[in-house]
């Protein structure tokens, strides 16, 4: 029967409720495996840190070459400019409103209403014009 099952007799014993064979060095092996995993993770993190440092050097040379600024520097300058602009003001400055989205386009809204009214029957047009 062992030949027919190959090496699966150990697994069959476990399935049928038999006792597992206990390895006396299992705890030691598991500890070594965990330590190896920790070491690999540390090496991977160190490698990625080195790669990111190299990338940052390349980015900085490009920034220096073309006179670009880091995103954080650009945001800090914009914030400082906003604070300087509103020093004498009691309210915060209005943000830029894209064209066509402001309150000053009432004429456009009226023209849209007129366009809609053109498609309504005569009596309804009279009701809305009053």
């Amino acid at each position: 029967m062992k030949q027919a099952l190959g090496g699966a007799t150990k697994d069959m014993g476990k399935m049928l409720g038999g006792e597992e064979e206990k390895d006396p060095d299992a705890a030691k092996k598991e500890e070594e495996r965990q330590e190896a995993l920790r070491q690999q993770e540390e090496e991977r993190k160190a490698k990625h840190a080195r790669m990111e440092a190299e990338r940052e050097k390349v980015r900085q040379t490009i920034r220096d070459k073309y006179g670009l600024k880091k995103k954080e520097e650009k945001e800090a300058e914009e914030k400082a400019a906003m604070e300087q602009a509103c020093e004498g003001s009691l309210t915060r400055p209005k943000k830029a409103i894209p064209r066509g989205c402001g309150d000053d386009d009432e004429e456009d809204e009226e023209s849209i209403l007129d366009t809609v009214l053109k498609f309504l029957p005569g009596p309804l047009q009279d009701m809305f014009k009053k």
Side-chain angles (χ1 to χ4, degrees):
M1 180 153 170
K2 282 186 178 181
Q3 286 180 339
L5 294 174
T9 55
K10 292 179 184 177
D11 295 333
M12 290 296 288
K14 290 178 191 175
M15 289 177 171
L16 296 174
E19 292 293 321
E20 284 187 33
E21 294 180 22
K22 295 185 179 179
D23 189 10
D25 297 330
K28 185 178 178 184
K29 288 180 182 178
E30 180 64 24
E31 186 178 315
E32 289 175 359
R33 189 180 70 81
Q34 291 293 331
E35 181 61 31
L37 287 173
R38 269 187 246 113
Q39 186 177 2
Q40 286 176 348
E41 184 67 19
E42 289 173 6
E43 290 173 1
R44 186 187 66 79
K45 286 182 180 180
K47 178 183 173 186
H48 285 286
R50 283 193 309 269
M51 290 171 56
E52 186 59 32
E54 289 175 15
R55 287 187 193 114
E56 188 57 36
K57 286 179 188 176
V58 171
R59 289 184 197 118
Q60 190 59 46
T61 56
I62 292 171
R63 281 189 213 106
D64 293 340
K65 183 177 178 181
Y66 295 105
L68 304 174
K69 296 181 182 177
K70 279 187 171 181
K71 199 174 206 178
E72 296 89 25
E73 292 175 5
K74 195 180 273 188
E75 289 173 357
E77 286 180 4
E78 289 174 0
K79 186 176 181 182
M82 291 287 282
E83 288 175 0
Q84 287 177 352
C86 64
E87 281 180 1
S89 172
L90 296 177
T91 60
R92 66 184 184 126
K94 291 184 179 179
K95 294 182 180 177
I97 300 173
R99 189 172 183 274
C101 295
D103 294 333
D104 57 345
D105 292 334
E106 293 175 10
E107 296 171 6
D108 291 339
E109 292 174 11
E110 290 174 8
S111 66
I112 293 171
L113 184 60
D114 291 337
T115 306
V116 171
L117 285 176
K118 289 178 186 175
F119 292 104
L120 294 176
L124 286 176
Q125 286 181 4
D126 295 338
M127 284 177 47
F128 282 111
K129 286 185 181 179
K130 292 181 180 177

